Amino acid sequence: MHTDPAKLKRGRISRAIIAILMLAVFNLVGFIFFFIMSHNNHLELLTQQVIVDSEHSFNTIESDKLRYLNTTLALLMANRAIANAFKERDREALLALCLPLFNHIKRNNGITHWYFHEAEPDKRCFLRIHKPDLYGDRITRITFDRAIETKQLASGKELGKTALAIRAVHPFYLDEALIGYIELGVDIDYLFRNFVATTGNHYGLFVEKSLLDRFKWDSVRSVKRLRDSWDDHNRYLLLYQTPLLDRIDPDLKKGNFIGAIPDQAKAFNRIVRGRNAYSRGMFPFYDVLGRKIGAVYILRNFNQHVSLVRSKSMFFIVMTFLFVGIVTFLMVFLHKRGER
């Protein structure tokens, strides 16, 4: 049987072109698969970095506030009139001297607590500038005990029975004689307001319920007209949060959402609400003793990062199509020319 050589030649060319096109399609599919994997990994790394950066931002704000507390304490203790009034235990004179100063630093720097304490072994509060009618109670806080033990500045985050504050306590000397202790504090809510303004994050602070007094917390919650969230989680209480946090992320109200708090910043899966994508995660929260008492939950609008990655993705896809198309055309052209 006679076979047409021209027909055989065309068949070989057709099979070669099909093989080249199949190879091009295979390469293109491989490129796209690699790109999708790379795209997802890039977004996961960005999400993790957002949580790590958030932790760093909060720690920086906390450090700056502690330095301010320490500096302010030094300036107040250098005030001879305040020192003399405290030494003489003249409560009215001490309040008259300190109240204008307290109003100033509260308005401009967020100082929410100012105390004068009796020295050991009494350890009672002599005067609260922020609540002058409340005094005479025995103080048992960690920072105060540490200042007594070391006779030096003691400062850090400290959890009470209903709230959390940054505190700094210093022995108060007059002519080298210990006359008591002075303490300044900032409610943790003030730090988080700065944190939100700096980062644009939504946040929630979860704290171990075993460290809180439910009855006292319930009283504070009722006064502030907050929702009773004590039973939302088995182990933790959402002590502070930005107003829209639970609307954007309703998972926060689920009983076992938190689980075990990680020892370092950790990102969770992203969520989408309407046209907005959010990264979320948490970092551990430690008190002045270094105990892990809870976690800061972070929710951040991720649209800018997603848009940036998508724009880079589209550029990569277009360039890949062009590259594969040009290579395929050249291979077909050169094959046909070689056949000729």
Side-chain angles (χ1 to χ4, degrees):
M1 182 176 178
H2 179 70
T3 303
D4 186 0
K7 188 174 182 180
L8 288 174
K9 182 178 180 181
R10 287 193 299 272
R12 287 196 302 269
I13 294 175
S14 299
R15 287 192 296 273
I17 290 174
I18 291 172
I20 292 171
L21 291 175
M22 289 180 64
L23 180 62
V25 171
F26 177 79
N27 287 334
L28 185 59
V29 171
F31 270 118
I32 293 175
F33 176 77
F34 171 78
F35 165 74
I36 292 174
M37 294 295 294
S38 176
H39 175 271
N40 290 335
N41 289 337
H42 191 193
L43 284 178
E44 289 178 6
L45 290 174
L46 282 175
T47 303
Q48 178 67 26
Q49 192 60 46
V50 164
I51 307 305
V52 171
D53 290 346
S54 297
E55 181 181 25
H56 178 73
S57 296
F58 180 80
N59 290 338
T60 300
I61 292 171
E62 179 187 346
S63 298
D64 289 344
K65 185 53 67 176
L66 282 173
R67 280 194 293 270
Y68 174 78
L69 290 177
N70 300 342
T71 302
T72 305
L73 280 176
L75 292 173
L76 294 173
M77 289 187 294
N79 187 311
R80 192 80 181 183
I82 291 177
N84 285 325
F86 187 30
K87 180 183 178 181
E88 297 298 326
R89 296 302 189 261
D90 190 337
R91 190 174 284 111
E92 291 184 3
L94 188 58
L95 179 61
L97 286 168
C98 296
L99 190 57
L101 293 173
F102 174 70
N103 291 333
H104 175 77
I105 58 178
K106 180 181 180 180
R107 181 173 58 254
N108 294 287
N109 302 102
I111 302 296
T112 53
H113 303 77
W114 185 355
Y115 307 81
F116 290 92
H117 301 309
E118 300 283 2
E120 64 277 15
D122 196 20
K123 296 175 59 177
R124 295 186 182 277
C125 177
F126 174 72
L127 176 64
R128 286 175 171 85
I129 304 299
H130 57 288
K131 289 184 178 180
D133 295 332
L134 180 61
Y135 57 87
D137 52 314
R138 189 172 176 82
I139 305 300
T140 58
R141 285 193 290 272
I142 298 169
T143 46
F144 184 37
D145 290 339
R146 181 173 288 183
I148 291 174
E149 180 183 352
T150 63
K151 292 298 183 291
Q152 294 178 354
L153 172 72
S155 61
K157 297 190 292 290
E158 189 164 357
L159 180 65
K161 293 301 182 182
T162 61
L164 185 68
I166 302 289
R167 299 184 182 275
V169 188
H170 202 292
F172 202 156
Y173 291 92
L174 179 62
D175 298 328
E176 299 183 357
L178 180 67
I179 60 174
Y181 295 82
I182 184 172
E183 175 181 344
L184 292 177
V186 179
D187 192 275
I188 200 71
D189 192 42
Y190 177 83
L191 263 68
F192 276 111
R193 287 199 299 271
N194 285 355
F195 177 60
V196 170
T198 302
T199 64
N201 292 338
H202 296 277
Y203 81 91
L205 175 60
F206 288 90
V207 174
E208 289 263 10
K209 288 196 288 188
S210 61
L211 302 174
L212 299 168
D213 184 310
R214 178 168 186 177
F215 177 76
K216 291 182 178 179
W217 178 84
D218 224 24
S219 300
V220 173
R221 178 193 61 79
S222 298
V223 171
K224 293 184 177 180
R225 297 181 180 179
L226 300 175
R227 183 181 67 86
D228 185 0
S229 58
W230 185 271
D231 295 322
D232 284 357
H233 304 275
N234 294 334
R235 184 175 174 183
Y236 301 100
L237 174 68
L238 184 58
L239 196 60
Y240 299 94
Q241 69 175 98
T242 45
L244 297 178
L245 182 63
D246 52 2
R247 296 184 187 178
I248 298 173
D249 191 358
D251 286 339
L252 287 174
K253 294 181 181 179
K254 294 181 180 178
N256 296 312
F257 174 70
I258 295 298
I261 291 177
D263 292 327
Q264 57 187 3
K266 179 182 179 181
F268 301 148
N269 58 308
R270 295 179 300 279
I271 60 174
V272 178
R273 295 289 181 267
R275 296 182 178 180
N276 293 310
Y278 294 91
S279 61
R280 57 180 182 169
M282 65 170 54
F283 58 84
F285 197 76
Y286 297 92
D287 69 359
V288 65
L289 293 178
R291 300 178 301 175
K292 186 167 63 174
I293 62 173
V296 178
Y297 181 82
I298 299 296
L299 186 72
R300 182 168 182 173
N301 191 297
F302 207 57
N303 286 351
Q304 183 178 359
H305 296 83
V306 172
S307 297
L308 180 61
V309 172
R310 282 177 178 172
S311 62
K312 291 182 177 180
S313 303
M314 291 304 299
F315 176 78
F316 179 81
I317 290 175
V318 171
M319 294 304 296
T320 300
F321 268 104
L322 288 175
F323 175 75
V324 172
I326 291 171
V327 170
T328 303
F329 173 78
L330 289 175
M331 291 177 67
V332 172
F333 174 77
L334 293 175
H335 182 76
K336 285 187 174 181
R337 185 171 181 178
E339 285 291 334
R340 288 197 295 270

